[in-house]
Amino acid sequence: MSGRGRIGLTGDVMLGRTVDERQRHRPPEAVWGTALDRLRGLDGLIVNLECCLSTRGERWTRTYRPFHFRGDPGRAIPALDAAGVDCCALANNHVLDFGEVALEDTLDHLDAAGIAHAGAGRDVDAALAPARAAIGGLDVAVVSFTDNTPEYAATEDAPGTAHVEIDVGNDDTRDRVAEALSRAREPAPDLLVASLHWGPNMVEEPPPAFEAFGRWLVDRGVDLVHGHSAHVFHGVEVYDGAPILYDAGDFVDDYAVDPDLRNDRSFLFEVRTDADAAIEEVRLLPTEIRDCRVHEARGDAARWCRERMRERSEPFGTEFERDGEGLVVAV
């Protein structure tokens, strides 16, 4: 398949804790707030699912974990379905917060709902397997990796995440990622996405190693790099015709808000492809989290998002056009 498409990408979608409590008393689609119509108008949606989906399991205690995120699948799956989520990146530092049984439940619930997923599995081979999704007229392949929480890494005989070191000089990383990309190309997709949960929290820019890794992925055929983890959005780079979203920030959660970094503000990133399935532009719609819902940001909040995005993207030479409350970058 090939052709025009409008694919949305978001940062962290955390449907546990207070978000889950609020969802007990409101319709499934309520978590998407005023962004719901925009999400439903897309051809497809890829998110980082920052929690497990289960009613089982015990909190991870083998190593110190300050936070544990688990959403009730009876509420979370209808919410994901209401927004039209096609694929969840699972390579992150929360899918094993309630142990192996909760991770396996997450996989089963997503499979039953027809939502593709990548980055975690019942063993390392499954964790490295690409997701495939038909989005509009496009065949999209997604691979997902994380450098967070090495104790959550899948092994040959234990569930977990697709864990790698973000270092292009690391032989194991190159081999593991190259294997995953090779699998994702069989058969050749229209669009190959690498979704990365990388780096520390509450930082405003990627380190040089991440820049090198993102470009290395593009050099190996990745069409779009989808970064997340910092809870703060980073700049956008267009490298050799491929957008690198270094960090998409937070999309919906219940986290405490830093008054300077404003981790409650980010964007819905909308990637548009042309008739030949090539990415032609990325549209950035400012968003803001309120009352455990995501909303389209307006006025001062949207202005803040635009100004920070321009500042954080300037080192990459990225130039944006204004589009209403949002921004557009040509590819």
Side-chain angles (χ1 to χ4, degrees):
M1 294 184 292
S2 63
R4 296 187 181 276
R6 298 167 58 226
I7 302 170
L9 300 105
T10 81
D12 295 356
V13 170
M14 200 289 288
L15 300 177
R17 293 199 316 188
T18 309
V19 179
D20 186 54
E21 287 296 323
R22 298 287 175 84
Q23 289 293 98
R24 291 176 183 268
H25 309 292
R26 61 192 191 188
E29 66 273 14
V31 72
W32 311 115
T34 61
L36 180 62
D37 287 345
R38 184 78 62 145
L39 295 172
R40 286 177 166 172
L42 298 166
D43 294 315
L45 184 60
I46 299 170
V47 307
N48 174 56
L49 183 63
E50 187 82 340
C51 62
C52 58
L53 303 181
S54 180
T55 57
R56 302 194 297 163
E58 301 294 333
R59 290 173 182 253
W60 179 281
T61 58
R62 294 175 225 171
T63 54
Y64 174 67
R65 299 287 297 153
F67 305 111
H68 299 80
F69 300 153
R70 176 178 60 179
D72 188 315
R75 291 181 285 276
I77 290 294
L80 295 173
D81 184 63
V85 173
D86 292 277
C87 182
C88 292
L90 299 181
N92 60 55
N93 56 319
H94 288 289
V95 293
L96 269 173
D97 280 356
F98 285 80
E100 288 86 349
V101 66
L103 169 57
E104 292 176 348
D105 283 350
T106 304
L107 303 174
D108 289 342
H109 287 299
L110 291 172
D111 286 342
I115 300 173
H117 52 83
R122 289 177 169 81
D123 55 31
V124 66
D125 184 70
L128 291 171
R132 303 293 288 234
I135 296 179
L138 302 172
D139 175 23
V140 180
V142 180
V143 295
S144 179
F145 305 99
T146 184
D147 69 340
N148 288 193
T149 319
E151 59 267 39
Y152 282 9
T155 66
E156 291 184 359
D157 55 7
T161 62
H163 184 273
V164 298
E165 296 297 326
I166 305 298
D167 178 5
V168 296
N170 184 299
D171 290 342
D172 289 339
T173 293
R174 290 200 309 270
D175 290 347
R176 178 164 286 196
V177 174
E179 174 193 347
L181 293 178
S182 177
R183 292 169 68 180
R185 294 191 195 97
E186 296 297 333
D190 294 311
L191 197 69
L192 176 54
V193 179
S195 192
L196 308 170
H197 202 70
W198 53 0
N201 296 342
M202 309 307 278
V203 297
E204 297 176 271
E205 61 184 16
F210 286 22
E211 296 177 25
F213 194 78
R215 295 164 190 159
W216 181 83
L217 288 170
V218 174
D219 288 338
R220 277 144 191 83
V222 169
D223 300 299
L224 173 64
V225 177
H226 171 221
H228 33 84
S229 177
H231 303 305
V232 177
F233 66 80
H234 291 178
V236 171
E237 178 179 15
V238 177
Y239 172 74
D240 197 21
I244 302 177
L245 316 178
Y246 280 105
D247 204 293
D250 289 346
F251 198 66
V252 64
D253 55 47
D254 66 352
Y255 306 157
V257 177
D258 184 287
D260 296 319
L261 294 176
R262 296 307 304 254
N263 49 296
D264 58 333
R265 294 176 177 172
S266 188
F267 295 90
L268 169 63
F269 297 84
E270 181 185 322
V271 174
R272 295 191 176 188
T273 58
D274 64 19
D276 296 319
I279 297 175
E280 59 181 356
E281 66 180 21
V282 181
R283 293 179 173 266
L284 288 68
L285 174 72
T287 59
E288 187 171 32
I289 302 167
R290 298 192 306 274
D291 188 30
C292 295
R293 312 174 195 234
V294 61
H295 297 278
E296 295 186 12
R298 304 287 185 186
D300 290 342
R303 184 180 307 110
W304 187 95
C305 291
R306 291 193 302 271
E307 290 174 354
R308 297 304 178 278
M309 179 55 77
R310 290 183 189 275
E311 291 170 1
R312 295 171 189 176
S313 301
E314 186 176 4
F316 305 116
T318 306
E319 297 183 355
F320 298 92
E321 296 292 334
R322 174 80 178 271
D323 178 40
E325 296 283 15
L327 298 169
V328 181
V329 58
V331 175

